[in-house]
Amino acid sequence: MVAGHLQEKKGLFYIVLNYKDGGKRKSKWIPTKLPVKGNKKKAETMLLEARKNFVPPSETNLENEEEVVAEEKNRQTDDTESKELEEDDILFADFMLEWLEMMKYQVEITTHSAYSFAVNTKIVPYFREKGVYLKELQPKHLHDFYQYVLKEFGLTTNTVLHYHANIRQALQHAFEMDMVPSNSADKVKRLKKNQFIGSYYTSDELNDLFEVVKGDPVELAVILAAFYGLRRSEIVGLKWDAINFQHQTITIKHTVVPVSYEGKQIIVEKDRAKNKSSYRTLPLVPVFLELLLRLLKEQQANRTLYKDSYSNQYQDYIYVNKLGERIKPGYITQHFPLVLKKHNLRRIRFHDLRHSCASLLLANGVSLKEIQAWLGHSHYSTTANIYVHLEYSSKLSSAQVMCDTLQIPSMQKAPESPQQETQELVHC
């Protein structure tokens, strides 16, 4: 069965079949005559049938001259009926859309959603306006695109690096399919990644925060993010079966992620963490154990109080409201800054509570390797790149070693201000 996908054009669905004819890769466009709106399932059914029934011209046995003539006429029809395109005729923008459609069935919805946003909002509009064909694409074209989105939209280099990764992956597919002689993205000088420096609360600020969120719907989220460094998706996805009351452990193994996909807002539930390292088991501390027991009693009381109005759809989840409905991820990030403003606390993002957790661990001598395991980072480099600037305790140790090793003559000049008389952190 040949490869193929649906393509939208002028408000209609077209079937695009990809095949090889005489060693050349070609695309056959077949009109479905179905409007895009409300006909996706019908179009997908037609696509499947077309893929099953299509026979490449090189494999067709024509019995007489009339069939040859008919076949030739079919090849010459315009795009309102059907057409064939060689790779030379494919615009890079159209190729990116074909690649995006192909990836729909190879990656998760959350990943494809990110691909779709980059391709549809930035990559395709730019290259369609430029009219660059796939085989004409040069590293200079990509370089100019990256510079354009950096300046025009004020994006960070980290965001543009994601665009570059999408383009490189697509071009690698084109290279492997003999559509292009090389991957132009490999020849573009890689942008320097921005170093991320997140905001974080001190221990005093966190203690103040814990006081003001007592009894607030966001209390559970704050504690899980600040103490355990959990991601928002891990907090909302926490289930009762993740808690082992006997051994007093909490296991991070289920996530709930909001996704904007194909014009709709959907929730993706996954029975696994973000990556292999994110699946982790942490000790259940007494204060959190008490909170969980309180929440369990509240849920049982609410189930009795609200009876038929209480939702049993999310009874496996810990983080639910009074009616048993699971707390929405967006609620946490929207409600959190309102709590800070109400109580005159310094404004930070909710995700910065995760950074606060890491900063406190570092300040108290916990190694970056241990923090990697605690936070569930897949690579040590991720932890190091984000938090190495906070690892001040190791710098103090290094300074002390240098003081013990090198004999630097003391300054004879008297201190000019009281500040110079303050006790140094490192005594040489």
Side-chain angles (χ1 to χ4, degrees), residues 101-126:
E101 185 69 21
M102 178 187 71
M103 294 304 294
K104 180 186 292 186
Y105 308 101
Q106 300 183 24
V107 297
E108 294 185 357
I109 290 179
T110 50
T111 302
H112 195 261
S113 173
Y115 289 174
S116 298
F117 182 80
V119 171
N120 289 317
T121 65
K122 297 296 188 295
I123 299 174
V124 166
Y126 176 86

Side-chain angles (χ1 to χ4, degrees), residues 12 101 133 182 222 230 312 324-325 355 365 387 401 421 423:
L12 299 174
E101 185 69 21
Y133 286 87
S182 64
V222 166
L230 298 195
N312 291 312
E325 299 167 336
H355 301 319
Y387 300 116
V401 169
E421 296 180 324
Q423 185 178 9

